[in-house]
Structure formats: structure tokens, C-alpha cells
Amino acid sequence: MHLTFSSLPDDQEQRMRLKTLLPLSIAASLVAALWMASAPTARAQDDEFDEFDDDFGDDGGSDDGASDDASDDAGSGDEFDDLEDDAFEEPAGDDGDDNGDDVGFEDEDEDGDDEERPSATEEEQRRARRERRMHMHNSWGGAVGGIHVIDAGSGADATFRAQLGIDFFFADEWLTLNGVTPDSTTHSHIGGSLSLGWTPFEFLEIYANLRSWANSNQYEDPNLFQVLGDTTFGVKAFYNFEDMPWLTVGGDLSIDFLNTVGDIGLVGDSTGFGIRGNLTADLRELEDRIPFIARLNLGYTFDNSAALVQATERARYNALPDGRPCPEDSAMGDCQEERHLVTRVERYSLQIDRVDRFRIGLGVEAPIVAMENVGDAGADFVISPIAEYVLDIPVNRQGYSCLFIPGAGTPDMPAVGEDGCLDKQGFDAFESRLTLGVRVIPPLQGLNIFLGVDIGLTGVNTFVRELSGQEPYNVRFGFGYAFDTVPRVEEIEREVVREVVREAEAAPRGRIVGTVVEQGADTPVAGAVIAFPGRELTSLAADSGGGFTSYELEPGEVQMALTHPEYNDGTCSGTIPEEGGDVEVRCEMVALPRVGNIRARVVGDNGSPVGGATVNLSGPANRSLTTGPDGTFAVSDLAPGTYTARVESETHLIRQETIEVRARETAEPTITLIARPARPTVNIRARQIVIRRQVNFATDSAEILADSNELLTEIADVILRHPELLRIEIQGHTDNRGGRQHNQDLSQRRAESVRDWLVRAGVDAGRLEARGYGQDDPLVPNITAANRARNRRVQFMIQERTEAAE
């Protein structure tokens, strides 16, 4: 947006400039866009018709190379005459003797093409719906809809739309200072809007809007305000219910870009955002079509336009010789001073709002077809009366503090010459309007003309500092064009007669209908390849159920070769009887052994191989092995399943690893062992397993921290190497911070986390019992941080051991 302030020598020159210069740039842009769009359209349509004519001539079978121009003359009928003559012309070389062969005629579609096509009724409905959507055009703001209230849906997919609109009004004695009326005070407004829309898919619309306007007010100095190029970009998504095609729901997002006052350049802080939900009921989609459309919009706009005048108001305040206090970092409305604030004329002319708005929009439209199939194009002449109501509810998200100066004896009314505030004037200041208009769609494909008038209902004569104000009325008119990228091809009904010579009845033939299964299991062998030795036929593949159907073959024995990567090669045969027909055959294949392998490597925590380690493998099969010098071990022919590998080394802690073995695959895990510490951290005493440092948990959680994994691995190693320890109680303890019940629950969960970790490491769950003691068994008084840390612990108490070990 480019805002400029200027003064004109007189009102006549001012109005002349407003009415001529302002729309010129917008009109030139629209004409250029329409010209560029229409040129490729004509070429696309010409190419489409040329291709159609070529195909039409080929079907006719004409020998004389009839010109394509024949199809362009709708009234000549020459092409149909040529087709008729050629179709019944006797073929060259035919002596009239049919030698017993039947000669007949069939339609063009009787050529074996079974491709499913939509019924004529479905196709007609689809075309009719698309034609109705072509009557949908841009609203003033850019998105498809009425004049202000947008449609939940959009125009036909693959269409572009452009629309140019002009709005104006002239009002005497409006925006004057509470009844103070100078001589011939007149406010005039003229503006223009260029909107563009694109519907790339059936569920999405992208739109843009460029707005320019000018206001003049003889009472204001300067008396002319121009706004050039405020821009909105938006995207709208929607959904149409299949079982209720008349109902559409959707929503759109938009962003408004505003430029600085008096210059060119975006002001980032003034950028606005909008979100809106939309609902449309189009009764033209009912079985009994009713020309009526109802629309509902509920939207919220984040308005930051006040940022455009923030610097101006600050400069005005600084220029006041006797300004009342206003903090440097405060909003200008927070000052106990009003002379520096933009006037109501400036607020309206620049459309400055200091608050957001929640908008409710209701609209109805009645697209009445006045005349059908007008002109050569056969388009309809449509007249659509439109009525809309829009209410903007202000929302003070910005926390703007309005300075209210009451009048003498009227505490709720502003003083003469002053603007009011929303909290005083209330609903009377809300901006609302009624729009009455009509959209005319002449029988020229894509064109529309609209005319409407906004009638201000509230906010017209009640002025508040937060809002720009509602004009008393505003006349809007313009025109638009919808460009359809899908070429329109006129349908030509035609009948093509084709001569068919029926050959003598062929010899009987038949097919093998087979099923490939696993021998002894009846399991279908999906993907088995069936070849036909001695025949030049392409091999077949069995479907997911093991089934296949051969080509048509002559009677006799049919040999088949079967292959599959998981089965031994096999053969199968079937015999087609002399009279032909299908024969069912069952083919069996012998499965290869379903075994897998393990090729693993054992390394230390420094990455070096661990040789001489003992590996006990348990699962569907059990094995005991020793790693080689390179730390590897291998096992072959294992039944598929989950295996547990327990690896022991004198120099490392015991490690247990889970290995998944799959049929005809080799698992290649790397098992890392932790070196046994030079000074053990874990020792066995008479009644407990003593640990030199504690298991660490996340704060107020049972999650074991990673730095405790090495300690727990050593604990598991001690328990695994001492099978005489039959039952161990894992005790959880806390300090006295927090509630007693909370500490009890936390200690229980921590003890269970340790038990689960040890079970995953290979310790038999039956040897472990988890129990939480909370804060009830401290080692030392909980009077210092160090003492509380000692009391937060996990202990391993030996509850039972073999008598021999004792």
C-alpha cells in the first residue's frame, strides 16, 4: 500500500483526478491478464477440434481424403453424406460371392473394448454441475462468493478468475465534529479492487486482492488521502459431502500486506492475518433444483493497521508545545492527550483500526436462469439477486486504552468535537452493513457483471477512537471473467457403420485352471512361476491364492514346469478334452528346508574382538559355542524364531543378547561386552549384595539414567555367576522430601525398574522380588543434603540361598 497526502486547488479538479487516474493502473493490468489468458485458449480449442476432426475422418473409412473443413460447417451435412456413401460402398475385389460367410454390420463400439465408461446420465450431471460452478465468481475480497460474503466452495476446478471493481460514495456533513458543520462540508470516496482466483483442485482455491482508494474531505487538511496497493493473499480449502452434494464446508487463511504512510515499503508490524470458517447450502444441487444459495462466514482478523500511524502520532505529540504527559514507551492512546491522535477523517481514509474484529457474514443469492441456450454457444443468461448482512464485533486484543473526554453533563457521551470509546458507546459503534446487489451473467462464457450497494446500519454516526468507521452507503460495480483451462468440445452425434466379415467357427480350445500348493500342507504357493515347455508361450505367475489360468490351448496333454525360490523345481500336467473347455489341475511343490543362520561377532567396549568367550544359545534350538580369535561364532541350520545368546568371558561381564532368526536368512549381530572392572563395584556379603555406588534415576521418576547401565551390568553378572543366590529382594528407598504416599509409590516403581532391567539382562525373574520402602527406613537422619542423598538408594538383600553355599 502506498499512502500519500496531498491538497488540490479546488473540488472540481480533485474529483476529476480521483475518477480518472486511480483506476487506470488496475484496468490496464486486468486487460493484459485477460488478453494473455485468451490467446492460448483459442489455440487449445483449435487443436482439440483439429484432432477430433482427424479421428472422425479415420472412422469414416473415406478414400477421397475429405477436408477437415467439412466438420466445421455445422449446417452442411456433407461429412455425413460422405460417411454414408463410403460405409456402404462394396470393397474392391469382392465378386459378390460370400462363400458361406456371414456379412453384417455393427456399431463402432463393438470392437472388444470393454472399458467402463460413465453412463450418459452421470456424464450429463457432471457437466451440468461444472456449468453451474462456472457461474461462481470472485467476491470483492478475492475469494469466490457473493459481494462480501464468500462461498465455502469455489468455482469449477482448473479455472482462473479475474475481477475489476469500482466503489464510490459522496456524503454531505459526514465525519463532522459532533454536529459542528462548516459550510458545504462534503466527504467523497472512490476506490478500485482487482481480485484474482485460481482453483487448481476440487478442494482448494488460491486468491489475491489488490485495493486502491482515495478520500477527500473539505474540512480536513490536507483534504485528499490516497491509498495505493493494499494487498491480500489467501488460500481456501473445502469439502463437499457426497451424500449431501448441496452442502459444502470449508475455511480459509489470509494475510494482509500494508505499506508505510506517505512512502513505498512494507511495514512488517502492520501486517494482518485472518482465519475464517465457511458454510454454504446450494439448493441447485438437490434433485428438485432450487435456484437458491445460502452462505455463512465466521472469521477473525488480527488487525495491526494502527502501526502505520504510530510514528506519525509520536511526531505530532513531540511537536506539541504544551503536551500532557505521555511515556516514551507507551502506546499513543495511553497518553492523557488527544491532539496528536489521527482524526476520524484520517482514520476512515486510511482505514486504521486499533482493535481486531470478529466478523459474522450472512448471505443469500438466487441465481435465476432468465434464458437458456442463448446464441451459438448455447450459454445461459443468468440473473442473481444478492442480499448480505455483515457485522464486525471489535476485540481489543491489543489492550488499547481509549482516552475518553466526557461532555458537560453527559458522562457517557463524548465532549463536542471529541470521539468516543467502545466501552462507552457500545454496539452503536460496531460496524455493520446490509448489502443489496445483483450479478448478471450474460450468455458469453466466463463473463459476469455485478452491481451492489452497501447500506451502513451501525457505526455510521457514532465515532470511537478504536475504529475507522462505517460509511453511510457505498456503491460497488464491476465485471469479471472466469477462464476455463479445460477446452470445450462440441459433441457431434454420429453413427459409423463398419463391415464385419465373420470367419468360420474355430476349432475347440480349452484352458488349464490350476492351483499351486505346498506338498503335504495345502498352503498356496503365491508367486510360483508356471512355464509351458515346448510351447512359445510367456510364463505365468500364481496369484496370492496360488491360482493361475493358462492361455487357450488346443486339446491334448499340457506339460507345465513350476519354479519358486523357496521350493524345489516341480512339474505338473493336465489334459484338455477333444471338445475343449476348462480343466482344473492341482500342482504340488516340495518346500526347501526353512532354516536360518547366525554369524555374529563379540567385541569389547573398546571395539577389539573377544576370543575364547563361551556362547550359550537357547531358543527353538540350543547350541554351545566358543568364539574364535577374531571374536566371531557361526551357527547354521537353525529353526526360525527368537534366540537368546548368553556370552561369558573371564575378562568381561556376562552379556545376554536376543537374536531373531528368519528362514533362509543370516542374522549378523555384534555383541559388545563390558570389561570387568579392576576393582569390583559389586560384592556379595552374608545377607546382601553390596554396591559401591548407587543406581541413578531421573528426578522424581523411575527412569534409570544411562550412566547406571555399567553398574547394573556388573550386578547382573554377579547374580548370573552365583546361582546359589535363590531369591533376592530389590529394595527402593527415598528421603523424606515429598509426601509419604508419594515416596512409597516412587520407591516401589524404582525397585521394579531395576528388576525389569536385570530380567532383560538375563536374570531369572523368579529370583528377583521388588519392594519399595519409601522414607520409612533411612540409613541416617534426613537433616542434610548429603544424608538425604545416602537415604535415596537401591539395596539388594539376599532372602534365600542354598545351604551348601552358606
Side-chain angles (χ1 to χ4, degrees), residues 7 15 58 156 275 358 366 386 444 595 606 609 720:
S7 298
R15 292 194 182 188
D58 294 340
I275 182 171
F358 177 77
I386 299 173
L444 178 59
V595 293
N606 59 357
L720 290 171

Side-chain angles (χ1 to χ4, degrees), residues 214-343:
N215 287 272
S216 91
N217 190 293
Q218 293 181 2
Y219 181 66
E220 193 68 25
D221 184 20
N223 60 12
L224 177 63
F225 301 86
Q226 293 178 328
V227 178
L228 301 177
D230 275 11
T231 307
T232 298
F233 295 97
V235 58
K236 178 169 65 173
F238 45 89
Y239 178 75
N240 185 250
F241 296 92
E242 292 186 2
D243 53 344
M244 293 187 293
W246 54 271
L247 183 64
T248 305
V249 297
D252 66 299
L253 300 172
S254 62
I255 182 170
D256 298 322
F257 294 106
L258 311 179
N259 287 326
T260 185
V261 174
D263 203 346
I264 296 178
L266 288 176
V267 178
D269 292 344
S270 69
T271 302
F273 304 89
I275 182 171
R276 178 168 46 190
N278 311 308
L279 180 69
T280 296
D282 188 347
L283 303 189
R284 297 177 301 170
E285 302 300 331
L286 294 174
E287 185 174 352
D288 297 330
R289 305 193 187 282
I290 302 174
F292 182 82
I293 303 172
R295 303 183 177 100
L296 170 65
N297 297 163
L298 298 175
Y300 188 92
T301 300
F302 296 86
D303 195 311
N304 298 306
S305 57
L308 294 174
V309 297
Q310 186 77 18
T312 300
E313 291 181 337
R314 173 63 65 180
R316 289 181 180 180
Y317 174 80
N318 293 335
L320 293 175
D322 56 347
R324 291 183 284 275
C326 183
E328 180 66 28
D329 58 349
S330 67
M332 295 311 298
D334 293 338
C335 303
Q336 298 302 312
E337 174 66 68
E338 81 285 353
R339 290 172 294 173
H340 63 294
L341 298 176
V342 292
T343 66

Side-chain angles (χ1 to χ4, degrees), residues 512-562:
I512 299 294
V513 179
T515 303
V516 183
V517 298
E518 181 178 330
Q519 188 180 62
D522 291 338
T523 303
V525 182
V529 177
I530 301 96
F532 300 88
R535 301 174 185 262
E536 295 183 357
L537 298 175
T538 302
S539 299
L540 304 176
D543 58 27
S544 59
F548 69 91
T549 301
S550 73
Y551 310 97
E552 287 191 343
L553 304 170
E554 63 277 5
E557 185 179 18
V558 179
Q559 293 289 336
M560 293 166 286
L562 311 176

